[in-house]
Amino acid sequence: GSKDAINTKIINFNNEKMQITWAARERFHNENVSFSYTFDEGKNKVWKPCPTYLLDQDYVSGCLFKTEGPTLAISIRSSNGSEELFSKELKSDYYIKPNKPENVTFFWKDDTVTVTCNKPERAVMCLLLELQYKSTFDKEWQSRTSKCCSVGDQGFDPRKCYSVRVRLKRRVPHCNVVNYSSDWEAETYWMNGTLLDSCNDDDITSQSNPVTVLSCSLAALLMMLILLILLCKWQRLHMSVMPAIPDAKYIFVDLLNDHNGNFQEWLDKTDRVVLQTKLEYEEPECIIEAESQQEDEKSSGKQGPSEKIFTFSRTAENSDLKAAQTACLIPASNTMASFAGFHILMNDDMYVML
């Protein structure tokens, strides 16, 4: 058939390397061929042999060589070079496949994600940045494309885990005759703006556990603080409303331990101890001056104040103490009482202890 009937695939890798391939087994049965190329224009072309052949089951199926210019001419000949089997001229710039995007950055804000990458050194106007993503509930990828080198989308659910990937594409037909795109950048996994290892349930749980534990710990500490404050306030309120009642066992410890509950015996001993203590610490004499008024009967016709100083003494049990009489006059009401062997006369204005 015709010299251009062969189906070839032409790729210019980022305008650095050219790769030309064909279906060797279908077009050239049991026959190896030779390949040559040139980037020269005009009649004075210098053909170069293929530096690196590509094989398909031991048959030559393509050639890989360096890109040296925008115009390319290729020729496929028989193994001995005597017969040309295929030839073609083309613009190498129309078959560019870009490299993967470099330094990809993801910026998350609420339900919106923005992806950026470094600008390539060549033909930036011919490039598009494509973003694809899908959640664990989606079957198909969702795609967004924008000019290089930033693309974004919104509507991301913070409760879902997303698989995200990006790549560069060449504009068609302005820059390429073939719709070539770069390889995908490494796929990443995101949930609520947090980078995960994957979207498996175990990974999501392991990533969310620290946040959950921290939240629960803070909530528990807050509850303990509130309970402590309420307990302190309750104790203060309880003490102000219901004061503490003294424990009787500390007051009557001698009654229970020394006297086996004999109240009369404990009372007698207690009175003697109190009396002896008072005697040891009281002064031998106590002289108190008091002023009293007496009124005689109206029939006697005599009226006037009388002032007396009474001196009494108590006999101490100690033989060294001298006998004395003491009278202490203290204001009181008209009452007669007796306490521990002493007689007390209570007038309107004083006590008299005898």
Side-chain angles (χ1 to χ4, degrees):
S2 172
K3 289 183 180 182
D4 56 356
I6 184 175
N7 184 19
T8 59
K9 184 176 181 180
I10 305 169
I11 304 176
N12 183 358
F13 291 102
N14 199 41
N15 211 24
E16 297 173 357
K17 288 186 177 181
M18 298 290 303
Q19 177 179 291
I20 312 294
T21 58
W22 57 85
R25 290 181 298 168
E26 297 176 2
R27 181 64 180 85
F28 309 109
H29 300 286
N30 301 323
E31 181 181 0
N32 267 327
V33 295
S34 61
F35 180 88
S36 58
Y37 68 95
T38 181
F39 286 94
D40 297 330
E41 299 182 15
K43 295 180 179 180
N44 298 323
K45 295 179 181 180
V46 178
W47 293 89
K48 297 180 181 180
C50 177
T52 304
Y53 279 107
L54 305 177
L55 301 178
D56 182 12
Q57 296 183 359
D58 296 332
Y59 288 96
V60 176
S61 61
C63 181
L64 184 65
F65 52 95
K66 183 179 179 181
T67 303
E68 298 177 2
T71 302
L72 173 64
I74 60 175
S75 175
I76 299 177
R77 294 177 174 270
S78 59
S79 58
N80 55 13
S82 59
E83 181 183 0
E84 186 177 61
L85 304 176
F86 175 78
S87 64
K88 186 175 183 179
E89 291 186 0
L90 54 97
K91 292 291 186 180
S92 62
D93 292 346
Y94 289 165
Y95 296 88
I96 293 178
K97 179 179 180 178
N99 289 337
K100 293 190 297 185
E102 297 179 355
N103 194 22
V104 179
T105 303
F106 295 85
F107 177 73
W108 293 78
K109 183 178 181 182
D110 299 331
D111 66 338
T112 303
V113 60
T114 303
V115 184
T116 59
C117 68
N118 289 347
K119 290 184 177 182
E121 298 178 357
R122 303 175 181 176
V124 178
M125 298 300 298
C126 289
L127 295 174
L128 300 173
L129 183 61
E130 181 181 10
L131 166 68
Q132 284 192 350
Y133 59 89
K134 66 176 180 179
S135 71
T136 51
F137 302 96
D138 299 328
K139 294 182 179 180
E140 302 293 335
W141 289 94
Q142 301 183 53
S143 182
R144 297 292 181 272
T145 305
S146 180
K147 64 181 181 179
C148 189
C149 294
S150 177
V151 62
D153 200 5
Q154 59 184 5
F156 289 85
D157 192 337
R159 298 168 296 179
K160 297 180 181 180
C161 181
Y162 291 89
S163 302
V164 183
R165 61 185 185 181
V166 292
R167 66 179 178 181
L168 289 172
K169 297 178 64 175
R170 288 276 293 185
R171 291 178 181 268
V172 177
H174 303 88
C175 300
N176 263 33
V177 295
V178 182
N179 190 13
Y180 281 150
S181 301
S182 71
D183 295 334
W184 290 104
E185 179 64 21
E187 189 172 338
T188 55
Y189 306 93
W190 299 83
M191 183 175 182
N192 196 22
T194 302
L195 181 64
L196 306 178
D197 293 334
S198 69
C199 282
N200 296 330
D201 293 338
D202 295 338
D203 295 327
I204 295 174
T205 303
S206 63
Q207 291 289 337
S208 59
N209 274 342
V211 179
T212 304
V213 170
L214 181 60
S215 302
C216 294
S217 301
L218 292 177
L221 290 176
L222 181 61
M223 289 296 297
M224 291 177 62
L225 180 61
I226 294 175
L227 290 176
L228 184 61
I229 294 174
L230 292 177
L231 180 61
C232 294
K233 288 185 176 294
W234 167 251
Q235 290 181 347
R236 293 179 61 184
L237 179 63
H238 182 73
M239 293 180 62
S240 61
V241 176
M242 299 180 63
I245 300 175
D247 194 345
K249 68 179 181 180
Y250 297 108
I251 301 176
F252 301 103
V253 63
D254 294 339
L255 173 64
L256 299 176
N257 296 336
D258 300 339
H259 303 283
N260 295 324
N262 191 330
F263 184 79
Q264 186 61 42
E265 181 182 344
W266 173 79
L267 184 61
D268 293 342
K269 183 177 180 180
T270 304
D271 288 343
R272 289 197 300 271
V273 172
V274 172
L275 179 59
Q276 183 177 357
T277 303
K278 288 183 178 181
L279 288 175
E280 290 177 354
Y281 288 95
E282 286 183 355
E283 295 180 358
E285 293 183 354
C286 174
I287 301 175
I288 302 176
E289 295 183 359
E291 180 178 351
S292 63
Q293 295 181 354
Q294 296 180 348
E295 294 182 358
D296 296 332
E297 296 181 357
K298 294 181 180 181
S299 59
S300 63
K302 293 181 180 181
Q303 183 177 357
S306 62
E307 298 181 357
K308 294 182 179 182
I309 299 176
F310 299 91
T311 303
F312 298 89
S313 65
R314 283 181 307 193
T315 303
E317 293 181 1
N318 192 339
S319 60
D320 296 337
L321 296 177
K322 296 181 179 181
Q325 292 182 341
T326 304
C328 298
L329 305 182
I330 305 172
S333 60
N334 285 331
T335 308
M336 183 69 178
S338 176
F339 177 76
F342 292 90
H343 298 285
I344 304 173
L345 176 63
M346 305 178 186
N347 293 329
D348 293 338
D349 299 322
M350 65 191 71
Y351 284 117
V352 178
M353 181 178 292
L354 301 177

